[in-house]
Structure formats: structure tokens, C-alpha cells
Amino acid sequence: MTTKTNVAPFRADHVGSLLRPDNLLQARKDFQEGNISYVELREVETKEIARIVDKQIEAGLDVVTDGEFRRRFWHTDFLELLNGVEGYVPEVGYQFNGEETERYNVRNIGKISFDPDHLFIKDFKEFNAIVNGRAVAKQTIPSPNQLFNPGIRDTSIYPDIEDFANDIIQAYQDAVQAFYDAGVRYLQFDDVYIASLSSPDISFEDGEFSREFLIDLALRVVNGVLADKPEDLVVTTHLCRGNYRSNWAFEGSYDLIAPTLFAKEKVNGFFLEYDDERSGGFKPLGQIPEGGARVVLGLVTSKIGELEEKEVIKAQVEEATKYVPLNQLCLSPQCGFASTHHGNKLTEEDQWNKLKFIVETAKEIWGE
């Protein structure tokens, strides 16, 4: 039975990425070393995607993803396949809490546009065929705002950031339409950049633009992308403060961005981290219009395997209803289980237990 997408995000939902099994990691290593062909690698990926689609359905979820099994990183694999963008190995990786990430990033090398032969379109079609209407197939991609991270824009190509923004908007409009034509009805923008704009630990005042300008620009970019989106396409934004080997990059509440992004971003839902004190309280949720976007509370952590206490989760949801009506709330992990191929520090059994826990708890809260 096909689940209707017009209720997405779902009461029990999840962000997207799943732990890569050892045989998939080995296949990718073998491919990189020239021991197997690309076709053989895809065969392994496809087999494992089929397995984890079944596992998500068995867990009781109405929404499934491909676990991002064809990617190394949650963002670079998509972005480097845009025209005018390339992947490269920088001198340093991202600095997380006491840890440097694997060194890989993207940079602007020409005018940006969407490539109609982008591999992710083929990937979704194959994934959707595996799902075969048994659940809603969600597609996750990095937010267009990820391209505004410092060091990506080449100012000799785009001296004016507004020209840069306009080309990104057009590229993503074309991407959204291409995904829609391929059958996507539930699309998620993953956005670490927007969350960073709300972190007091990250200074934007020493750069070319103020924090206020960049917050406004981030809103204009997403809303520009969605200006003409198909009516039956659900689009959500997932805000993240970094998720790498169970580590995090920064902290800060949503206070600084809520009056602009929560109040005005024209998405159907927000996936928000709320699994520890780094995210602050629920008060910023009061900026989300009643009857507007659904709020998916990321109260269950994907960073450790220990299960949360159900009564604690229910109490937190109740606390959130002071700012957002219960019928506008949903439940999920705070992030994916493997935003990069390294994965977080928990077992696959832990992962499935977390997802089953979310389904059970959501049914007890909402009766759906």
C-alpha cells in the first residue's frame, strides 16, 4: 500500500543516512584500489540498499531512504557533480570537537548550473524501484546554502555574491524539477550552514558580510529555489551542528535564526537537533507559524547506542507544545547515523532499535 506523501514529514521520521555495512565499505575500498569495477561496486550498493529498505519497513517506518549508501559524504558527492563545482583535498579538514575530519571539500571553478545527467537522478530512480510503493521514498541532498560556506565561492568568477546566489537558485530549481520528474515527492535539504549562522561560537562579523545579511540571504536562496516547486512535492530542511564519527562541530540555540528562517522559510517541515544541551531550548519554535511547517523534534540521538527513556521523550514533546501545537510536531533522530562513510559509534542493531523506538513512541504520543 502506498503511503500518502501529503502528511510528510511523518510522526515517526528519520534524517536519512544509515550505517554502512562492512561489505559495502570493503567494496568501496576495492573499487578505489582498482580491484573491482564500478559496475561491481554498484551491485553491492544496490543489494545493500534493498536490504536496508526492507529493514526500515520492518521497523514500522512509513518513510525510507537509501541510507546514502552510494555516497562518501552527505554533501560533497552531490555538490561536486554540479557544473562549476569540483571536489578536492584541502590542506586541512573541518575542525570538530577535538577532531579534524577527513580532508575533502568542494570549490567553485566556473559558472554554476545543474547537470541534467547528474548521477543522483539515476540513483533515485533505482532506489524508488526497490521501494516499489511500499513506503515513501525520501531523497536527501545538501541545502543550496552549503555553497556559501567560506572558501567555496571563487570571487574572480563571482565578484558579486548576488550573482553567485542567483545561479545557485537556478541550479537548484532545475535540480528540484529533475528529481520531481524522476518521481521524488519528499525532498530534504540538509543544512549545516544555516545552523552555523545561529552559533555564537562562529564569528561572521570579520568577514565580507554581516551575520544578519547572511541569514537573510540564506532565507532568500531557499525560498527562491522553492518559488515554483510542484504543489505535491514536500520539502523539508534539516539543521545540523555537525555529525562525524559521533562528534559535533559547534553549538548554539536557534535564537539568532528563528525570527527569519523559522518564521519565513517556505518549507513543509524543519528537522531540528534537540538531543543535548548544545541546541538550547524550545522557545525559538514559537516563531514557526501555527498551521505552518511541521517541526520534527530530533530528541533521539544517533551518536550513541544507548536507548532514551520513553517517558523523558514524551515529557520533552509536551514541553515543546508550549510553543508549537502537538499536531504540528513529529519525532526523529537528531541526525543521520552515518553522515559520512565512517559512521557514528554505535552498532547496526543499535540503529534499528533507535528507529523502532521512535516508531513506538510516536504511536503512543499521536496514536498514528
Side-chain angles (χ1 to χ4, degrees), residues 25-276:
L25 294 172
Q26 184 62 48
R28 188 167 294 281
K29 182 173 183 289
D30 290 342
F31 171 69
Q32 290 170 342
E33 294 175 352
N35 297 322
I36 65 172
S37 68
Y38 179 63
V39 171
E40 289 172 311
L41 171 61
R42 283 192 73 91
E43 287 175 354
V44 175
E45 291 171 344
T46 300
K47 180 180 177 181
E48 288 303 322
I49 289 169
R51 180 181 68 86
I52 55 106
V53 164
D54 289 344
K55 293 288 287 186
Q56 290 170 82
I57 293 170
E58 289 170 15
L61 290 162
D62 291 319
V63 55
V64 297
T65 73
D66 67 357
E68 301 180 4
F69 275 16
R70 300 199 196 275
R71 306 184 214 182
R72 293 180 64 246
F73 295 89
W74 63 275
H75 58 319
T76 55
D77 294 65
F78 177 84
L79 295 173
E80 68 185 354
L81 295 180
L82 297 174
N83 296 325
V85 180
E86 73 170 3
Y88 75 107
V89 178
E91 293 184 3
V92 295
Y94 285 107
Q95 188 59 46
F96 272 53
N97 180 37
E99 178 180 11
E100 181 187 332
T101 67
E102 180 182 339
R103 297 175 184 181
Y104 200 77
N105 209 336
V106 296
R107 59 190 172 195
N108 171 213
I109 57 169
K111 290 292 186 179
I112 292 175
S113 63
F114 181 71
D115 182 352
D117 294 323
H118 197 294
L119 184 58
F120 273 44
I121 303 301
K122 174 186 176 182
D123 290 347
F124 177 79
K125 290 178 180 178
E126 293 185 7
F127 162 54
N128 202 27
I130 290 170
V131 179
N132 194 28
R134 294 175 292 158
V136 172
K138 178 163 77 168
Q139 174 68 45
T140 65
I141 60 173
S143 166
N145 285 314
Q146 288 303 124
L147 288 167
F148 290 89
N149 271 309
I152 293 180
R153 174 171 64 109
D154 186 328
T155 54
S156 69
I157 299 169
Y158 287 107
D160 186 342
I161 196 170
E162 294 292 345
D163 292 337
F164 186 58
N166 288 336
D167 280 359
I168 291 171
I169 289 170
Q170 184 62 59
Y172 265 76
Q173 283 181 339
D174 293 342
V176 168
Q177 187 62 52
F179 278 121
Y180 184 83
D181 292 343
V184 173
R185 295 297 180 271
Y186 186 4
L187 181 66
Q188 178 178 295
F189 292 159
D190 292 319
D191 207 325
V192 175
Y193 175 79
I194 284 181
S196 74
L197 291 173
S198 202
S199 174
D201 299 335
I202 301 173
S203 174
F204 292 88
E205 305 308 318
D206 297 333
E208 185 180 359
F209 306 102
S210 70
R211 187 189 302 266
E212 290 71 22
F213 172 84
L214 294 173
I215 291 172
D216 177 71
L217 180 63
L219 174 71
R220 288 192 285 120
V221 167
V222 172
N223 283 352
V225 169
L226 301 180
D228 296 315
K229 83 168 182 69
E231 189 175 342
D232 60 338
L233 174 65
V234 170
V235 180
T236 59
T237 289
H238 164 234
L239 280 75
C240 175
R241 296 172 181 81
N243 187 50
Y244 179 81
R245 290 168 45 85
S246 294
N247 208 341
W248 50 271
F250 54 89
E251 50 193 312
S253 75
Y254 299 108
D255 289 340
L256 294 176
I257 59 175
T260 301
L261 292 162
F262 285 1
K264 301 174 185 177
E265 190 170 89
K266 295 176 182 178
V267 291
N268 301 98
F270 291 98
F271 281 77
L272 303 177
E273 283 192 312
Y274 272 116
D275 64 325
D276 62 24

